[in-house]
Amino acid sequence: MKRVFALLLALAMVLALAACGSKDPADDAKPMAIRVAGMKGPTSMGMVKLMEDDEKGESFHDYAFTIATSADEITPKLKQGEYDIAAVPANLASILYNNMEGQVKLLAINTLGVVYIVEKGNTVQSLADLRGKTIYATGKGTTPEYALNYLLSESGLDMEKDVTMEWKSEPTEVVQILKKAESGVAMLPQPFVTVAQGNVEGLRVAADLNQIWKDLDNGSMFLTGTLVVRTEFAEKNPEALAAFLKEYAASTKWVNENPGEAAKLVEKAGIVKADVAQKAIPYCNITCITGKEMQAAMNGYLKVLLDCNEKSVGGKLPDEAFYYVG
């Protein structure tokens, strides 16, 4: 009888230890102030529900959100410690890690491929048809440029020799050019593809770069946006960060499942108009990938970029410390 009791007691202790080991770190979190920055576009659209909850006082943490026009507005303030978490282009996360000597970590992938080739006309059926064309685009020095460079090379084209790139600072500039021209080709991300189609008569999607990347079956994923966190913040506040990720993941899920309601919040955040957002959300590939899955996807993507241009990732692949896996 004593042996049976001892075995039962030992089993109970094992189960108790297992339960402690599987405890969610977010359960021990205490509410705190967190400063979050994002850009106008899909990389911030997934957080609009969290922004609304915060405004209503219904979020766990007390957030201060900033929506910027470009990554150039976010980067210096992130370096200066004015933001704790930021949504930035995927390749920029690697560049920041390398340039800031590990002072930031990759927290999550928040957007898959959202970049498209659009045409006012009907001459482009594949990327090979871009030979000799002028392409109006945004995103020089970030994910769109390096992704297009890679995909063009896979289609037998050289970005430097076979196409002419006209880089603009904002998608609205590209839209105005297409609106005035009789014909033209551009590279735009969602939701600005939808904006352009509402303003430019006869504009069509000629190529989905995300689908083209998938069709290559190269063992990687086309990534557009990520969340990075300051290393100091992550190390000091692991429980708070776990609670943030829970809230953020819930927000992205809600946006994808409720595009109509989410569109109103996207407009409220000053990203794009609600009617545009509602049409665009299903094509924005908003997500929240964390942990080991995030690490595998990001590492594969960065290897592809590195092979094309080492500057695209900051000169080298980030080491293991780049990935915040909880």
Side-chain angles (χ1 to χ4, degrees):
M1 191 69 175
K2 288 182 179 179
R3 177 177 291 182
V4 172
F5 178 77
L7 287 171
L8 290 173
L9 180 62
L11 179 60
M13 290 177 67
V14 169
L15 291 173
L17 288 171
C20 291
S22 62
K23 186 177 180 181
D24 189 334
D27 294 342
D28 294 325
K30 295 179 180 179
M32 64 178 296
I34 300 179
R35 302 161 299 174
V36 183
M39 298 184 300
K40 286 187 176 181
T43 55
S44 293
M45 288 167 69
M47 67 175 71
V48 294
K49 179 64 164 62
L50 182 53
M51 294 171 69
E52 181 73 3
D53 289 346
D54 175 68
E55 185 178 310
K56 291 180 177 179
E58 297 174 357
S59 60
F60 181 78
H61 290 304
D62 179 18
Y63 295 102
F65 289 98
T66 300
I67 303 297
T69 303
S70 70
D72 291 340
E73 296 176 40
I74 295 174
T75 299
K77 292 184 178 181
L78 183 65
K79 289 180 177 179
Q80 292 160 15
E82 294 183 34
Y83 299 133
D84 303 307
I85 296 168
V88 299
N91 76 298
L92 181 58
S94 176
I95 292 172
L96 288 172
Y97 178 79
N98 285 327
N99 290 351
M100 294 172 63
E101 299 179 343
Q103 292 180 49
V104 297
K105 289 181 178 289
L106 184 69
L107 186 58
I109 294 165
N110 66 10
T111 325
L112 303 180
V114 297
V115 184
Y116 299 79
I117 299 295
V118 295
E119 182 189 18
K120 190 176 183 181
N122 198 37
T123 64
V124 178
Q125 308 303 323
S126 69
L127 292 189
D129 295 331
L130 292 174
R131 187 183 298 275
K133 302 280 190 185
T134 295
I135 305 172
Y136 300 97
T138 60
K140 182 171 177 58
T142 61
T143 294
E145 178 184 6
Y146 297 122
L148 180 61
N149 184 36
Y150 167 66
L151 293 176
L152 285 175
S153 67
E154 290 295 305
S155 298
L157 302 183
D158 185 323
M159 181 183 278
E160 299 295 324
K161 299 175 182 178
D162 297 319
V163 299
T164 300
M165 299 300 303
E166 289 281 347
W167 296 102
K168 305 299 176 184
S169 59
E170 293 185 29
T172 51
E173 293 182 67
V174 176
V175 174
Q176 288 305 311
I177 291 170
L178 292 174
K179 193 172 182 178
K180 295 175 182 178
E182 290 186 9
S183 62
V185 177
M187 176 175 65
L188 288 170
Q190 284 287 10
F192 300 106
V193 170
T194 303
V195 172
Q197 288 181 310
N199 284 273
V200 181
E201 187 176 349
L203 191 70
R204 53 179 281 272
V205 172
D208 176 349
L209 299 193
N210 190 53
Q211 187 59 52
I212 293 172
W213 192 294
K214 281 183 181 178
D215 291 343
L216 291 175
D217 194 22
N218 60 11
S220 72
M221 299 169 65
F222 182 13
L223 309 180
T224 297
T226 59
L227 288 179
V228 295
V229 59
R230 288 190 301 110
T231 300
E232 182 183 10
F233 180 89
E235 291 176 347
K236 288 182 177 179
N237 307 287
E239 294 88 2
L241 201 53
F244 162 76
L245 282 174
K246 263 192 168 182
E247 291 198 289
Y248 183 83
S251 181
T252 60
K253 185 175 185 290
W254 184 88
V255 168
N256 283 324
E257 292 177 351
N258 302 276
E261 290 301 306
K264 298 173 186 176
L265 300 184
V266 170
E267 178 171 338
K268 186 177 180 180
I271 299 173
V272 289
K273 294 291 186 182
D275 59 337
V276 171
Q278 185 168 355
K279 293 176 184 175
I281 285 171
Y283 304 100
C284 285
N285 293 322
I286 296 166
T287 189
C288 182
I289 302 173
T290 59
K292 293 295 184 181
E293 184 183 357
M294 167 195 75
Q295 182 174 355
M298 185 67 164
N299 191 53
Y301 174 70
L302 293 178
K303 282 180 178 178
V304 171
L305 295 191
L306 179 70
D307 289 342
C308 288
N309 184 341
E310 63 180 22
K311 291 182 180 179
S312 67
V313 299
K316 61 181 180 180
L317 286 179
D319 56 27
E320 289 280 324
F322 172 54
Y323 301 96
Y324 184 86
V325 293

